[in-house]
Amino acid sequence: MKNVPLYIAGEFVQSQSDQWIDVTNPATNEVIAKVPCATADEMQQAILSAAEAFKTWKETPVSERARVMLRYQALLKEHHDEIAEILSQETGKTFEDAKGDVWRGIEVVEHAANIPSLMMGETVENVAREVDTYSYIQPLGVCAGITPFNFPAMIPLWMFPMAIACGNTFILKPSEQDPLTPTRLVELFEQAGAPKGVLQVVHGAKEQVDVLLTDPVIKAVSFVGSVPVGRYIYETGTRNMKRVQSFAGAKNHMVIMPDADKQQVINALVGASVGAAGQRCMAISVAVFVGSSQEWIPELKEALAKVRPGAWNDKAAAYGPLISAQAKDRVESLIASGEAQGAKLLLDGRGCTVEGLSDGNWVGPTLFAGVKPGMDVYDQEIFGPVLSCVEVDSLGDAIELVNNSPYGNGTSIFTNCGGSARRYQHEIDVGQVGVNIPIPVPLPFFSFTGWKGSFYGDQHAYGKQAVRFYTETKTITARWFHSEMEVDANFSIHLR
């Protein structure tokens, strides 16, 4: 058991709070650490330290900022497996899944190391007679990030490396459910040579989040989490004149055409629906079988029935436990709701046990057929290893079904017909589309582009959009006079 420290002004410090939250191992529900709810004074110390550090960090040459990121990505790679083990033990993820979590974050740090070219402005000579216009990309100031439990390495690494590389300082508020991984990330960032005060870490719950959303020093807030919280974050932050990107919930559909490769479809559905215990905002939770492809559902059931959860270091385990007992209770209640509302429960994951870990938050693979809009298992984001099968007659019906969903995070189509794929990717109202790829999360030189109720804001995470989110553009229009130049008085706004 350990008390998780705060990180303020370049120092790890023990909080003086009288409010602490238990951090538990989801496979055993044993308390492994305690995380503080930072005091009001500690929150202000972090904000003021970040504001002070910004004064010098913004003047640091962009090439030097890039070198910090180069050293950081090297350290992350060196300690990759160590970070993954910490992550596994506090989230319950299998070791292989945890390594993927860490690696996808490292990819963003690699992209942040390319910041000099991403910060380049534009110029045009002679926009009018001997008048030039050019632009600079400049940092905002103090930024903040609020991250979820399900990706405690990847999501923080989406945020603070890009923001800091752009010349900002950053306050990270990790999930209180798994703060040990972000703490290790910060230790390595310090080791990479980041100046004191450039990154701060505070812990807590709603009270601490509200400080980040309302304090006038903080210019931008990035959030990843659930639907109601995501909307609250966006509305509160923007009401307090902040730039906000808020990634909320999802209900991702995978459309299966009859001409698709059956085994590839089954393999994709199994991995994308129950991987990470379904606790991914890009998990496939709805399989839309078009026409005769619904005949594959019995084989899908057979494949899912062979999948079993287990401990993080069990190489035969496909996924781990849910993050908490409350999360398990919620998933099991939604399974009961689906059955009560008329869906066909083909595979029931309730009552799942793992030998030697009877107190863990286990839910087995669960499969429904005959699911329809209006049922809770279709309408709500379950965030568990539950797959709902919907049967439709045509691709047009599938497109209509997906477009009627209030969410637009990700979707995919499996087909061997280029025409079907082209029509789907063009007509679908979802921000991230996979063609024969179930979870189409873009690499960092693109951006993570959820739509509709899955995202509140204007600029998305990582890639070029993150640079725009964390910066302002300053445009200069200049004319330099010389001895032979004559300029008359100009009474209009037209340059000439």
Side-chain angles (χ1 to χ4, degrees):
M1 175 112 70
K2 62 178 291 186
N3 288 342
V4 180
L6 306 170
Y7 186 66
I8 298 175
E11 303 289 341
F12 286 99
V13 296
Q14 287 298 320
S15 174
Q16 299 304 304
S17 177
D18 57 4
Q19 298 178 50
W20 293 76
I21 300 170
D22 289 344
V23 180
T24 60
N25 178 344
T28 63
N29 276 310
E30 173 191 6
V31 177
I32 57 175
K34 288 184 177 290
V35 63
C37 293
T39 66
D41 182 60
E42 290 164 346
M43 293 295 294
Q44 283 306 306
Q45 288 177 40
I47 293 169
L48 293 175
S49 172
E52 186 64 25
F54 177 66
K55 295 176 183 177
T56 53
W57 182 244
K58 69 177 180 178
E59 303 298 342
T60 302
V62 67
S63 56
E64 291 186 26
R65 303 201 301 261
R67 291 185 194 110
V68 171
M69 298 304 158
L70 283 169
R71 292 192 294 270
Y72 188 41
Q73 61 90 24
L75 284 168
L76 289 171
K77 289 175 182 177
E78 180 183 342
H79 295 272
H80 176 272
D81 286 7
E82 173 208 336
I83 299 167
E85 185 170 330
I86 296 169
L87 193 156
S88 291
Q89 292 177 355
E90 66 176 343
T91 65
K93 285 187 178 185
T94 64
F95 189 50
E96 287 301 312
D97 193 22
K99 288 195 290 185
D101 186 332
V102 177
W103 187 256
R104 291 309 296 260
I106 290 173
E107 290 176 331
V108 178
V109 180
E110 290 177 333
H111 189 60
N114 190 41
I115 199 65
S117 62
L118 297 173
M119 294 284 287
M120 292 171 66
E122 299 172 313
T123 182
V124 175
E125 187 180 44
N126 278 339
V127 294
R129 188 173 301 278
E130 299 193 64
V131 174
D132 306 323
T133 298
Y134 44 97
S135 64
Y136 294 136
I137 309 299
Q138 298 186 334
L140 290 176
V142 180
C143 302
I146 303 155
T147 60
F149 76 84
N150 57 332
F151 286 96
M154 182 182 77
I155 302 296
L157 293 175
W158 275 14
M159 295 181 185
F160 73 81
M162 291 299 296
I164 291 172
C166 287
N168 303 287
T169 54
F170 200 87
I171 301 172
L172 176 66
K173 191 285 181 192
S175 170
E176 65 278 9
Q177 294 180 287
D178 44 18
L180 302 178
T181 301
T183 298
R184 187 64 181 126
L185 297 180
V186 173
E187 290 172 348
L188 294 173
F189 191 61
E190 181 180 67
Q191 190 176 331
K196 291 181 180 295
V198 167
L199 176 62
Q200 322 277 331
V201 180
V202 296
H203 298 290
K206 182 178 182 298
E207 181 180 348
Q208 288 70 32
V209 168
D210 283 345
V211 173
L212 301 178
L213 294 174
T214 57
D215 192 286
V217 171
I218 296 173
K219 304 303 181 185
V221 177
S222 183
F223 167 82
V224 177
S226 63
V227 178
V229 180
R231 184 164 183 168
Y232 171 81
I233 294 287
Y234 180 75
E235 291 178 345
T236 306
T238 54
R239 189 166 59 246
N240 284 276
M241 306 304 291
K242 302 189 189 310
R243 189 175 293 184
V244 179
Q245 54 177 203
S246 182
F247 299 83
K251 196 72 180 181
N252 306 312
H253 300 68
M254 180 171 139
V255 173
I256 301 106
M257 299 299 293
D259 61 4
D261 182 288
K262 178 173 66 174
Q263 194 56 52
Q264 293 293 337
V265 164
I266 291 172
N267 291 345
L269 282 173
V270 170
S273 62
V274 304
Q279 297 174 122
R280 296 170 175 157
C281 67
M282 288 291 286
I284 293 296
S285 54
V286 181
V288 183
F289 289 91
V290 178
S292 61
S293 67
Q294 64 186 281
E295 297 170 4
W296 304 345
I297 294 177
E299 292 177 71
L300 172 61
K301 174 187 173 182
E302 184 180 340
L304 274 171
K306 296 176 182 177
V307 174
R308 68 173 185 84
W312 72 272
N313 54 358
D314 179 355
K315 293 184 178 180
Y319 63 91
L322 296 180
I323 190 64
S324 66
Q326 294 78 13
K328 175 188 173 183
D329 290 344
R330 180 179 179 276
V331 170
E332 290 189 339
S333 70
L334 282 165
I335 294 171
S337 172
E339 191 174 26
Q341 292 175 352
K344 301 173 186 175
L345 184 56
L346 303 181
L347 202 61
D348 189 350
R350 292 173 293 181
C352 176
T353 58
V354 172
E355 185 177 355
L357 297 168
S358 58
D359 293 330
N361 308 315
W362 307 106
V363 176
T366 300
L367 182 66
F368 281 103
V371 173
K372 299 181 183 302
M375 295 179 177
D376 291 341
V377 290
Y378 181 84
D379 292 346
Q380 295 188 33
E381 183 179 29
I382 300 176
F383 233 55
V386 181
L387 178 62
S388 298
C389 297
V390 179
E391 301 85 37
V392 298
D393 294 330
S394 67
L395 177 58
D397 293 336
I399 291 171
E400 182 179 5
L401 177 79
V402 177
N403 284 347
N404 283 338
S405 171
Y407 303 110
N409 218 31
T411 186
S412 65
I413 181 171
F414 272 62
T415 181
N416 281 318
C417 173
S420 296
R422 173 65 174 76
R423 179 186 176 189
Y424 190 77
Q425 70 183 43
H426 178 69
E427 295 184 13
I428 210 68
D429 294 335
V430 175
Q432 297 166 115
V433 182
V435 177
N436 298 320
I437 293 176
I439 301 181
V441 177
L443 288 170
F445 28 86
F446 289 91
S447 295
F448 188 92
T449 54
W451 285 9
K452 298 194 290 188
S454 295
F455 177 72
Y456 301 96
D458 299 309
Q459 303 291 347
H460 293 84
Y462 61 75
K464 294 178 181 178
Q465 292 198 34
V467 174
R468 290 196 289 269
F469 178 75
Y470 289 121
T471 60
E472 290 280 21
T473 300
K474 179 180 289 183
T475 305
I476 298 101
T477 302
R479 169 184 278 158
W480 290 98
F481 299 101
H482 54 80
S483 59
E484 298 177 1
M485 185 175 178
E486 294 184 7
V487 179
D488 297 331
N490 184 5
F491 298 98
S492 75
I493 96 174
H494 172 59
L495 284 172
R496 61 179 185 267

